[in-house]
Amino acid sequence: MTISRTQLEALRQAAIDASRNAWCPYSRFPVGAAVLATDGRIFSGCNVENASFGLTVCAERNAIGQAISAGCREFQTLLIFTATQQATAPCGACRQVITEFAPNLDIISVCDGSDCLQMTMRDLLPHSFGPHNLENASSLSE
Ligand code: THU
């Protein structure tokens, strides 16, 4: 992992700050995520729940969405913060969204306790379905 201590601390702080804005009245499980782009920019997001539970969007997907909306598509590290004693890995839906842009992304998960997870997207979603699967697809009309 080629991330500096300063970048790591900036990511951690951005994820913690985002988690404070989490809208999670149903789960009471605030999550913050911050992604470091290859150009050094940091984008963050929190989970946004909905009374129609299935519409909840996770912190990781919101952080990636912020980056994409700003025209940023290349990432080096994603950091997740949960206000728990154990670090949390991203859910399956987030893994799929992350892999669209960054199939080799480094992922760090931290929490209120000393537990910490270090993962890569390759660990989390091997044999993934992605944009490459849509290349050279034979058309139905052929
Ligand atoms: N959540 C995230 O934000 N990221 C994950 O990777 C796992 C789950 C949120 C969704 C929901 O608001 C709450 O945590 C409980 O599942």
Side-chain angles (χ1 to χ4, degrees):
M1 222 177 274
T2 57
I3 178 172
S4 71
R5 276 206 163 275
T6 314
Q7 285 175 314
L8 181 60
E9 183 47 35
L11 268 183
R12 201 180 71 92
Q13 199 53 57
I16 291 172
D17 288 348
S19 77
R20 296 201 171 110
N21 294 326
W23 174 247
C24 53
Y26 310 109
S27 72
R28 301 192 184 285
F29 189 78
V31 185
V35 65
L36 176 66
T38 50
D39 65 9
R41 285 186 287 172
I42 288 177
F43 300 91
S44 61
C46 61
N47 48 333
V48 181
E49 297 186 348
N50 192 276
S52 178
F53 296 163
L55 297 181
T56 291
V57 184
C58 293
E60 297 89 325
R61 273 176 283 154
N62 278 329
I64 295 285
Q66 287 291 319
I68 299 303
S69 302
C72 181
R73 295 180 185 163
E74 289 183 14
F75 308 112
Q76 47 178 313
T77 306
L78 175 87
L79 184 141
I80 301 160
F81 169 79
T82 50
T84 54
Q85 288 302 303
Q86 286 210 315
T88 305
C91 80
C94 289
R95 294 177 196 198
Q96 182 64 34
V97 169
I98 293 165
T99 215
E100 176 83 9
F101 302 102
N104 290 309
L105 192 67
D106 289 322
I107 300 183
I108 300 169
S109 184
V110 299
C111 60
D112 274 338
S114 59
D115 191 35
C116 175
L117 294 172
Q118 293 204 16
M119 309 151 269
T120 68
M121 272 309 300
R122 293 269 180 232
D123 300 329
L124 294 178
L125 200 61
H127 311 293
S128 65
F129 176 82
H132 62 280
N133 293 109
L134 301 180
E135 289 165 13
N136 308 314
S138 48
S139 127
L140 281 178
S141 60
E142 280 175 2

